[in-house]
Amino acid sequence: QTGSPRNFPFRCLQISSFANTTWTRTDGLAWLWELQTHAWRNGSDSIHFLKPWSRGNFSPQQWEDLQHILGVYRSSFTRDIQEFAIMLSKVYPFELQLSAGCEAYPGNASESFLHVAFQGTHVVSFQGTYWEPAPDAPLWLNRAIEELNKDQGTREMVQSLLSDTCPQLASGLLEAGKSELEQQVKPKAWLSQGPSPGSDRLQLECHVSGFYPKPVWVMWMRGEQDQPETQRGDVLPNADDTWYLRVTLDVAAGEAAGLSCRVKHSSLGGQDIVLHWDGSRSS
Ligand code: EMG
């Protein structure tokens, strides 16, 4: 798993809800790879640090400056969108989502992005020095984009945030948070019986929790044989930056004995966890 250099994208997300002409809220959050590093709540003047290393290598003054830029931006953004909504006859309620960030590559290279979604669909991106419509964006957006591109001051600020500020912040965070990002946390696993799927049938559940990073392999087995009817749930977040997964198998009551759940995870170093179904528990 070690060897080739890893890239960890840094992503800032903004969620803006416009309920009607007067009620709006905007929340922001930032992630380095799988770990949330910052929160920027509606109505709060400051960016909250969620990790001891969330400051990265920025000075207090650099954080002050960034907070000020974001504070001005949030109120300008809200006002702009309300004006666009009138100009373009958009119906409330609607939702805007922004995703902006960067990823550093070996040798000082980095790539940045800024995408905007309206009602969950990608509509606008910032490319180089201009706002551009997404490939299948609706035509009404062109008027908004034309307006946005008239503001050279904002275009220059966005460009400098994406090409300078973001990679600097991301590399400082990566350096400060590296050991936490690259840590390995072993899963715990346990078995239980789920709700009966039918008469004379059992649902066997295998729970795997507390692991980091996210990739994991879990299968119901009979001896060395994978059970292809194994059903895998979604990998869900625990509150402590670890993950949880439930994997189930529906079987005839008489066939549960001899089944086991096998877990492979990078933290286990090849020592898979194997739990055997105890035939005496089910009936
Ligand atoms: O304020 C590190 C941890 C952070 C955690 C929190 C994460 C937060 C996530 C944030 C992600 C988004 C980042 C985007 C940053 C953009 C910064 C832009 C800063 C510039 C700015 N401009 C406004 C004020 O502009 C005036 O003042 C500045 C100086 O302050 C200049 O002098 C400028 O020339 C002058 O005009 C502008 O008002 C600007 O327009 C604000 C909004 C910009 C914007 O985001 N536009 C994209 C909107 C997309 C529109 C979609 C179209 C649409 C869809 C649906 C309905 C209607 C419209």
Side-chain angles (χ1 to χ4, degrees):
Q1 312 132 11
T2 50
S4 64
R6 294 256 355 237
N7 295 322
F8 295 100
F10 178 62
R11 298 187 175 92
C12 297
L13 307 179
Q14 177 190 328
I15 303 167
S16 295
S17 306
F18 293 81
N20 54 49
T21 51
T22 55
W23 194 98
T24 75
R25 71 171 291 145
T26 288
D27 295 278
L29 38 157
W31 298 77
L32 186 59
W33 187 232
E34 287 179 23
L35 301 179
Q36 189 180 352
T37 52
H38 301 86
W40 184 47
R41 300 199 179 93
N42 184 60
S44 164
D45 291 332
S46 54
I47 298 166
H48 291 272
F49 295 142
L50 301 182
K51 296 286 177 192
W53 42 269
S54 290
R55 203 171 278 285
N57 60 1
F58 272 25
S59 64
Q61 187 60 51
Q62 278 176 299
W63 278 111
E64 278 299 312
D65 295 347
L66 190 56
Q67 263 169 186
H68 179 73
I69 288 172
L70 287 177
V72 172
Y73 159 70
R74 180 167 57 193
S75 50
S76 317
F77 175 88
T78 307
R79 184 207 55 217
D80 278 17
I81 298 299
Q82 285 164 333
E83 287 173 9
F84 279 135
I86 295 170
M87 175 175 106
L88 304 168
S89 323
K90 291 293 116 194
V91 180
Y92 290 92
F94 59 84
E95 197 87 1
L96 284 165
Q97 292 157 288
L98 273 80
S99 166
C102 54
E103 183 164 7
Y105 299 109
N108 259 343
S110 75
E111 217 168 279
S112 297
F113 56 87
L114 193 169
H115 303 298
V116 185
F118 174 68
Q119 305 293 51
T121 302
H122 176 208
V123 291
V124 179
S125 293
F126 191 82
Q127 295 287 352
T129 54
Y130 285 94
W131 299 97
E132 281 186 358
D136 293 314
L139 282 174
W140 59 261
L141 252 149
N142 291 334
R143 270 186 78 195
I145 291 172
E146 202 178 305
E147 284 303 311
L148 288 171
N149 279 327
K150 285 182 189 159
D151 185 351
Q152 190 186 347
T154 292
R155 287 195 285 117
E156 284 172 356
M157 283 176 75
V158 173
Q159 195 190 348
S160 124
L161 286 167
L162 289 178
S163 58
D164 302 330
T165 314
C166 187
Q168 193 198 329
L169 180 56
S171 72
L173 286 171
L174 188 52
E175 197 171 326
K178 202 171 182 54
S179 59
E180 190 171 338
L181 277 166
E182 290 181 340
Q183 74 181 325
Q184 294 285 332
V185 187
K186 288 185 181 156
K188 300 231 184 319
W190 67 95
L191 305 180
S192 65
Q193 188 177 325
S196 169
S199 63
D200 285 332
R201 295 197 66 82
L202 297 177
Q203 183 181 60
L204 314 190
E205 298 177 311
C206 180
H207 308 262
V208 183
S209 189
F211 55 93
Y212 179 95
K214 194 175 184 180
V216 71
W217 184 96
V218 184
M219 265 290 169
W220 279 99
M221 318 278 292
R222 188 176 294 285
E224 292 300 303
Q225 195 67 48
D226 288 17
Q227 298 304 108
E229 322 82 83
T230 297
Q231 297 218 39
R232 184 183 158 113
D234 294 327
V235 180
L236 303 175
N238 286 319
D240 62 356
D241 288 333
T242 66
W243 298 96
Y244 167 85
L245 176 63
R246 188 183 76 121
V247 160
T248 60
L249 185 68
D250 287 357
V251 287
E255 287 169 10
L259 287 164
S260 57
C261 175
R262 180 178 282 264
V263 181
K264 294 177 188 283
H265 186 261
S266 51
S267 63
L268 297 169
Q271 303 272 54
D272 302 353
I273 297 175
V274 181
L275 296 176
H276 296 277
W277 185 259
D278 172 5
S280 66
R281 69 190 292 161
S282 52
S283 53

